[in-house]
Amino acid sequence: MTHTRSTPASQKANLPVPSGAHLDERSRRAREEPMSVTSFGGDVYEVETESGNRYLANVVAGTCTCPDHVFREARCKHLRRVAIEITEGRVPPPGHVAVPCSVCSESVFVPTGSDEPHLCPRHRFQRGDVARDRETGGLVLVVATSDRRADEVRVPSHDCTVAEYATNRDYPADDPVVSAVYPAVRVTDDGPEPGSLRVYTFPVSRLERPDV
Ligand SMILES: [Zn+2]
Ligand SMILES: [Zn+2]
């Protein structure tokens, strides 16, 4: 999947000036003047000012099409504003686009043109992560991730897909799958016993990170 569209602009707004900050004139105006910033997925951002003027700021090259930069070679308020919005997570960093998480639709920044499934931090798992199974409330250990969908991967023991498996039917069939084991120790009459190391495969939204 390639994302070539521009991502939505940040809301045209002023940004709060951190209390106690001593900002020079351009830095203060970069925050206090209502502006919106639009990312195009590369190094160039469009900044629309309160009066409706639009300038293109290349935050990597440090150039802007505004008179302040063109005639005075200043690090203008537009360049500063883009840098602020990137560091505050309001717009994607250079070379990234904002796309919805495939599971929960929360906006997530991914490299432009990335074919990976787009997952927010809550739904992005790596081998070795601990996750909570939302069906049982139990903790599982992630052993593998995949970009294959729950309706493509079969459960060998049940002759159905992961999406069709009874306890997975409430989760989206197009979720990428994650495989995990229940490592919890079970206490039996004979004392503690290690949990099963049988690998289960889940639609990713059935799992959540306990810490995010
Ligand atoms: Zn400028
Ligand atoms: Zn998500």
Side-chain angles (χ1 to χ4, degrees), residues 101-106 118-124:
C101 168
S102 344
V103 177
C104 68
S105 299
E106 184 181 310
H118 308 314
L119 298 168
C120 74
R122 199 154 53 98
H123 292 117
R124 192 184 305 134

Side-chain angles (χ1 to χ4, degrees), residues 120-132:
C120 74
R122 199 154 53 98
H123 292 117
R124 192 184 305 134
F125 295 103
Q126 291 184 328
R127 184 184 162 80
D129 281 346
V130 174
R132 188 182 307 284

Side-chain angles (χ1 to χ4, degrees), residues 8-29:
S10 59
Q11 291 284 337
K12 192 183 277 191
N14 60 334
L15 302 177
V17 175
S19 61
H22 296 286
L23 302 179
D24 67 40
E25 178 68 9
R26 285 190 179 88
S27 294
R28 191 180 55 73
R29 290 171 65 185

Side-chain angles (χ1 to χ4, degrees), residues 6 10 19 33 40 42 53-56 66 92 112 115 133-134 140 146 148 153-154 159-160 181 183 195 202 205:
S6 65
S10 59
S19 61
E33 294 183 11
F40 298 109
N53 289 327
R54 292 169 189 224
Y55 301 108
L56 294 174
C66 74
T112 305
D115 286 333
D133 174 7
R134 294 167 63 190
V140 297
S146 168
R148 297 188 66 205
V153 176
R154 299 198 72 77
D159 194 30
C160 66
V181 296
F202 302 104
S205 55

Side-chain angles (χ1 to χ4, degrees), residues 47-203:
V47 181
E48 186 177 329
T49 64
E50 186 171 20
S51 55
N53 289 327
R54 292 169 189 224
Y55 301 108
L56 294 174
N58 184 323
V59 76
V60 174
T63 58
C64 183
T65 54
C66 74
D68 195 27
H69 181 80
V70 170
F71 298 120
R72 288 187 283 278
E73 295 185 12
R75 193 169 143 68
C76 60
K77 62 188 178 186
H78 313 109
L79 282 167
R80 293 170 198 232
R81 176 63 172 244
V82 173
I84 292 167
E85 296 220 5
I86 292 169
T87 54
E88 294 188 354
R90 293 166 58 90
V91 294
H96 288 66
V97 286
V99 294
C101 168
S102 344
V103 177
C104 68
S105 299
E106 184 181 310
S107 184
V108 52
F109 300 154
V110 300
T112 305
S114 163
D115 286 333
E116 306 278 301
H118 308 314
L119 298 168
C120 74
R122 199 154 53 98
H123 292 117
R124 192 184 305 134
F125 295 103
Q126 291 184 328
R127 184 184 162 80
D129 281 346
V130 174
R132 188 182 307 284
D133 174 7
R134 294 167 63 190
E135 288 296 306
T136 65
L139 295 180
V140 297
L141 181 66
V142 172
V143 295
T145 62
S146 168
D147 54 11
R148 297 188 66 205
R149 296 157 44 123
D151 57 5
E152 291 172 350
V153 176
R154 299 198 72 77
V155 182
S157 56
H158 282 71
D159 194 30
C160 66
T161 66
V162 171
E164 288 162 348
Y165 191 78
T167 52
N168 292 337
R169 286 187 194 142
D170 289 343
Y171 300 95
D174 61 356
D175 260 15
V177 296
V178 174
S179 297
V181 296
Y182 289 90
V185 170
R186 288 186 308 181
V187 179
T188 69
D189 290 345
D190 297 329
E193 193 175 82
S196 164
L197 289 185
R198 183 173 155 196
V199 175
Y200 293 86
T201 300
F202 302 104

